[in-house]
Amino acid sequence: MMELTKKTLSRRGFIKASGMAGTVLAVGYYFPSFGKEAKVVNANLAKAEGIELNQFIYIGQDGKITIIAHRPEMGQGVYQSMPTLIAEELEVNLDDINIVQAPANQDAYGHQQVGGSSSVRLSWEPSRKMGATAREMLIMAAANQWGVSTNECYASEGYVINRTNKSKLSYGELVESASKLKAPSEVKLKEKKDFKILGKPLHRKDLPLKTNGVASFGIDMEVPEMVYASIDRSPVFQGKVKSFDDSETMKVPGVQKVIKSEMPVFKHTRFGVAVIADNYWSALQGRKALKVEWDESEVELLDNEKIFQQYREESKKDGIVADEQGDVKKGMSEAKKFVEATYECPFEAHSPMEPMNIIVSVKDKKCELWGPIQSPNWIRRSLAEYLEIPVENVTINVSFLGGGFGRRAFTDFPLEGAYLSKQLGKPVKIVWTREDDTTQGPFRPATVNVFKAGLADNGKLIAMEKKGVYQELRHQFPGSDETKVGKLEGANKAYEIPNSIERIVPQNLPIPVMWWRSVYASTNGFAYEAFIDEVAEASGKDPIDFRMSILENESRYTEILKKLKEKSDWKKDSNSGYGVAIVESFGSICGQVVQVKKTDGELKVEKVTAVIDCGMYINPDTIVAQIEGSIIMGMQAAYKSEITFKNGRAEQQNFDKYKMPRIPDTPAIAVHIMENEEAPGGVGEPGLPPFAPALANAIFNESGKRIRKLPFNLKEV
């Protein structure tokens, strides 16, 4: 199976590698020019129709069924999720299919990036249509063979069955005739009540591979004639190489040469010095012996306190209006009571357990990449543009990812590999150290959020102002319009506040920032939901009751809050502090109640109760795992770690200072999933934003102390 990740997945090559022989029914999704609706087609007839595509479903005459996983797997479950959508409509069990990872090919597979908790949301209908189309073609083939109407046939567990006499034909027996049929233009998808595997807890097919050592992560991969590179990059962003001394480096056995390196990072170039060696150990030891003098003369050497002081000053500016409802000025003039607060969140590293790594080969106007990447198509296009070659000359082979959290969607480390390979004329494998991974960024943006709320005499919230000060991700790209800002993910628009305004004051810093699990929802969610608690206190209402009072017309929210109140035993333990938060992000709504208790003078997080409404879903076990993982990552950002800068350098380099939660830190976590037939929402990120505000609100309930700055020391509360 993994051999397929080392070559272009052509139909001929796929059939040969998968052992399928003879006629194959191949069904795919055709993505026409922009603005036209995609359609499902029979790939066997695609060339006759003038369509170029790769297929998602292969059924051989031997009955073998292979389904293509077109999105990268980084622990979130899409390796199985996308095939499950197809298998449900195809009427086959997951145990009866083989899954193969697709290479990058936007024309064939459409959107392949994993990020923004978008995989299931974007694939829910197209993937099911492909499965349903293949099913209907097999039914048509059987009906033709039996001389009956298709209404007299149905599919089940890899067979088409005759309703009248119960005779049946396997998919393998029907492939040859089905492969000659034109795909139906319209197919009926199942209703939720008829699902057999969707919504059911199923074992993941990638987990055995990962536990028995068969799975190939980027850090495991090798290609012929490959050399290794360990790169000493400027410790200051936008610094340059003044000179280097490699005399001691060249004495290290296995070291071949030392050359300068570079990679584009948004509008700038990151410079470094690469030690090239036969193996990683030699490259790393050679790097340790390397002496580099850096030119930092043209760079502003920022300190953390200076950054946040600048943000606080900038918060006095009007900024750019991102959202507005009603007349805030009028609402504030009518208010009788005011609540004001400022919240701060730090820079954060991504810290996936598998550090950044990549293999790139550039030769004869062609480029091939192997490794753990989140955005195959964007990286493919970027490599083509960077090397000035046609995109068809770039082959991307995607491995399993040892975590990503948004970091592996970026193009910087693949382009660095391309630069070195082009200089050397051979494949290069770059492996970042943990120190590289922690200090080089890009990071989650640091933020300052300033709030003001106005309440009427009766405690009703009638006006609110929010101002966010932070770097806008999009403003870092060349040619970006710095007068425009993105939507405020995580700042609940559902709250019924008659007069509200949200502004952003964008900042420009030499520190690169990037997507981080839930990105701005993690910072907006903390600030917004912690402030809503302060408003609830000022109104004299219970935090859950107050939220429900400003969500009266939002039944999905209120149902979550009711379930949270029930499942968490809200405030029933008088010796505990309880805090609640509810955040909508990436198409889902997640609410959490955090319970804290002081034991032997030390505050501990006792329990987290989470309720998520993500609409219809694929596997509840995956949802539970993702919410649990999000909460633990939320713990890290709330009171374990931060990236701070001194003299332009990240101060935290490894896990000794950039702390990770340990097993004893993990509280009891209970996850509950709302059942409905709403459109699918995201799951990988929505579980993170509610944790920090719910924790801060629980600490206030227990101690009377408001937490407005992250991270904080739990032992000092």
Side-chain angles (χ1 to χ4, degrees):
M1 183 184 68
M2 293 311 299
E3 182 63 21
L4 290 171
T5 66
K6 298 181 182 178
K7 60 183 71 174
T8 302
L9 194 62
S10 67
R11 182 172 183 268
R12 184 182 299 275
F14 174 81
I15 293 171
K16 181 179 177 182
S18 63
M20 290 181 176
T23 304
V24 175
L25 173 61
V27 177
Y29 216 58
Y30 166 48
F31 299 90
S33 58
F34 182 77
K36 295 183 179 179
E37 187 177 355
K39 64 177 182 178
V40 182
V41 297
N42 177 357
N44 301 292
L45 306 180
K47 288 189 176 180
E49 297 179 20
I51 296 168
E52 289 292 333
L53 85 166
N54 280 1
Q55 299 74 253
F56 282 77
I57 308 168
Y58 294 83
I59 304 174
Q61 285 180 297
D62 57 2
K64 289 182 180 178
I65 300 171
T66 297
I67 297 179
I68 306 303
H70 68 295
R71 292 176 184 264
E73 170 60 55
M74 59 180 176
Q76 81 281 37
V78 297
Y79 179 78
Q80 179 162 308
S81 296
M82 305 301 102
T84 302
L85 291 168
I86 292 173
E88 175 66 67
E89 298 288 350
L90 186 56
E91 293 289 1
V92 294
N93 297 317
L94 285 180
D95 291 340
D96 298 329
I97 67 171
N98 182 40
I99 299 174
V100 173
Q101 181 69 53
N105 190 330
Q106 186 157 354
D107 291 338
Y109 304 113
H111 187 73
Q112 289 182 267
Q113 178 172 322
V114 287
S117 300
S118 62
S119 296
V120 173
R121 287 191 284 166
L122 295 180
S123 300
W124 181 262
E125 187 171 297
S127 293
R128 291 172 61 208
K129 278 186 176 179
M130 280 186 284
T133 298
R135 179 194 72 217
E136 291 306 307
M137 292 168 69
L138 291 161
I139 289 175
M140 288 162 61
N144 290 342
Q145 186 166 328
W146 287 325
V148 299
S149 165
T150 55
N151 293 331
E152 295 181 48
C153 308
Y154 69 95
S156 178
E157 298 185 357
Y159 290 87
V160 176
I161 302 168
N162 188 313
R163 296 181 189 277
T164 304
N165 59 23
K166 303 304 178 186
S167 59
K168 63 182 182 180
L169 293 167
S170 71
Y171 286 179
E173 294 174 284
L174 295 166
V175 161
E176 184 173 3
S177 55
S179 68
K180 299 173 184 176
L181 299 173
K182 187 177 180 66
S185 57
E186 296 291 335
V187 289
K188 184 178 180 181
L189 300 180
K190 289 183 177 182
E191 296 181 27
K192 182 181 178 181
K193 64 181 177 59
D194 298 321
F195 289 162
K196 295 176 181 176
I197 54 177
L198 285 181
K200 307 297 189 295
L202 300 171
H203 294 299
R204 281 172 47 175
K205 294 176 78 70
D206 57 318
L207 294 186
L209 305 176
K210 293 175 178 177
T211 52
N212 64 20
V214 170
S216 183
F217 290 82
I219 208 163
D220 302 318
M221 300 186 83
E222 297 179 351
V223 299
E225 302 179 2
M226 181 182 82
V227 294
Y228 284 82
S230 186
I231 304 171
D232 200 15
R233 302 174 189 85
S234 172
V236 172
F237 304 109
Q238 301 176 28
K240 299 177 181 178
V241 179
K242 183 181 288 186
S243 64
F244 66 87
D245 179 356
D246 63 0
S247 56
E248 293 301 313
T249 297
M250 294 306 297
K251 296 177 184 178
V252 176
V255 171
Q256 297 182 8
K257 61 173 63 178
V258 179
I259 63 174
K260 289 184 179 180
S261 72
E262 64 178 56
M263 61 178 174
V265 181
F266 299 112
K267 298 176 184 177
H268 304 283
T269 299
R270 175 81 50 79
F271 296 100
V273 182
V275 177
I276 310 301
D278 299 339
N279 55 75
Y280 175 65
W281 178 254
S282 294
L284 184 61
Q285 296 311 303
R287 175 181 171 185
K288 290 179 179 178
L290 185 67
K291 297 176 182 176
V292 184
E293 185 178 358
W294 302 102
D295 180 359
E296 302 169 1
S297 60
E298 299 178 7
V299 184
E300 183 182 6
L301 303 179
L302 293 173
D303 288 348
N304 222 60
E305 184 49 44
K306 183 179 179 181
I307 293 170
F308 276 92
Q309 185 56 42
Q310 173 186 318
Y311 280 21
R312 295 178 197 118
E313 288 298 317
E314 290 283 294
S315 71
K316 298 173 185 176
K317 295 182 178 179
D318 287 340
I320 300 170
V321 175
D323 191 67
E324 187 173 11
Q325 301 290 329
D327 187 336
V328 172
K329 188 174 181 179
K330 183 174 183 293
M332 288 295 184
S333 69
E334 295 172 352
K336 304 301 180 184
K337 189 174 186 178
F338 301 94
V339 184
E340 298 183 64
T342 299
Y343 296 86
E344 298 182 5
C345 293
F347 294 99
E348 294 282 357
H350 295 79
S351 296
M353 289 300 101
E354 180 191 17
M356 296 300 106
N357 65 87
I358 205 75
I359 301 173
V360 184
S361 176
V362 178
K363 192 174 182 180
D364 299 329
K365 298 275 185 188
K366 291 185 178 181
C367 175
E368 187 160 10
L369 174 150
W370 298 261
I373 55 173
Q374 286 183 238
S375 186
N377 295 328
W378 183 26
I379 289 171
R380 189 187 190 204
R381 291 193 303 271
S382 297
L383 284 166
E385 292 170 7
Y386 183 67
L387 296 168
E388 297 181 332
I389 61 176
V391 71
E392 294 78 17
N393 288 8
V394 180
T395 301
I396 303 289
N397 305 291
V398 183
S399 66
F400 283 123
L401 288 64
F405 314 120
R407 174 63 182 94
R408 285 193 155 96
F410 198 35
T411 60
D412 58 344
F413 63 106
L415 295 182
E416 185 180 44
Y419 176 87
L420 290 178
S421 180
K422 188 176 181 180
Q423 308 309 308
L424 298 167
K426 60 181 67 176
V428 179
K429 180 166 187 174
I430 302 172
V431 180
W432 292 39
T433 65
R434 179 56 59 189
E435 288 78 9
D436 296 335
D437 214 52
T438 306
T439 62
Q440 290 289 310
F443 306 97
R444 182 191 75 172
T447 64
V448 168
N449 279 293
V450 179
F451 289 86
K452 181 178 180 180
L455 287 77
D457 275 336
N458 61 0
K460 183 180 179 180
L461 176 59
I462 57 174
M464 181 184 286
E465 298 175 355
K466 176 190 181 296
K467 189 180 295 181
V469 185
Y470 47 76
Q471 292 166 270
E472 259 281 351
L473 297 180
R474 66 178 66 191
H475 291 179
Q476 299 174 104
F477 290 96
S480 60
D481 185 349
E482 297 189 8
T483 65
K484 294 182 179 180
V485 294
K487 65 176 183 177
L488 292 169
E489 193 84 56
N492 275 342
K493 302 295 189 296
Y495 285 137
E496 295 152 11
I497 306 170
N499 307 291
S500 66
I501 190 166
E502 295 175 351
R503 297 186 177 93
I504 296 175
V505 186
Q507 301 297 295
N508 286 312
L509 296 178
I511 299 168
V513 294
M514 198 57 185
W515 304 303
W516 185 91
R517 195 173 193 173
S518 77
V519 208
Y520 294 116
S522 68
T523 53
N524 282 328
F526 163 66
Y528 206 95
E529 280 297 288
F531 184 67
I532 285 292
D533 237 58
E534 298 203 41
V535 177
E537 182 200 7
S539 74
K541 289 186 177 180
D542 172 88
I544 288 182
D545 293 342
F546 178 77
R547 284 171 172 80
M548 292 183 70
S549 73
I550 54 175
L551 290 165
E552 290 180 345
N553 298 311
E554 297 287 343
S555 60
R556 293 180 74 181
Y557 278 83
T558 55
E559 289 304 310
I560 289 173
L561 290 168
K562 289 175 185 176
K563 186 170 281 274
L564 274 174
K565 199 168 189 177
E566 171 199 347
K567 296 296 184 181
S568 68
D569 291 328
W570 178 249
K571 293 191 175 180
K572 288 187 177 179
D573 183 352
S574 59
N575 295 317
S576 294
Y578 292 79
V580 66
I582 186 167
V583 180
E584 181 173 359
S585 60
F586 308 98
S588 293
I589 309 165
C590 186
Q592 292 174 18
V593 167
V594 172
Q595 183 180 349
V596 299
K597 183 178 288 188
K598 192 164 283 189
T599 305
D600 298 327
E602 185 176 324
L603 197 67
K604 283 192 172 184
V605 182
E606 289 282 304
K607 183 180 179 182
V608 182
T609 304
V611 178
I612 185 168
D613 182 345
C614 57
M616 290 188 286
Y617 55 86
I618 295 176
N619 188 337
D621 286 354
T622 298
I623 296 173
V624 171
Q626 287 297 294
I627 299 298
E628 290 173 341
S630 293
I631 287 169
I632 291 169
M633 195 165 176
M635 287 170 53
Q636 169 213 322
Y639 63 87
K640 283 287 182 181
S641 63
E642 65 178 326
I643 294 292
T644 59
F645 293 91
K646 188 172 184 179
N647 199 32
R649 293 158 169 77
E651 294 186 280
Q652 297 73 22
Q653 297 192 6
N654 208 316
F655 292 143
D656 59 330
K657 291 184 178 179
Y658 192 74
K659 301 290 186 181
M660 294 286 111
R662 305 286 181 168
I663 290 175
D665 297 321
T666 306
I669 299 174
V671 180
H672 305 275
I673 306 168
M674 302 297 288
E675 293 290 341
N676 54 48
E677 296 190 23
E678 298 285 348
V683 170
E685 296 165 278
L688 192 149
F691 176 78
L695 173 61
N697 297 337
I699 289 171
F700 174 78
N701 180 241
E702 196 277 337
S703 67
K705 181 178 180 179
R706 285 288 180 193
I707 303 294
R708 298 192 180 100
K709 183 177 181 179
L710 302 181
F712 60 93
N713 190 331
L714 195 63
K715 295 182 180 180
E716 295 178 359
V717 174

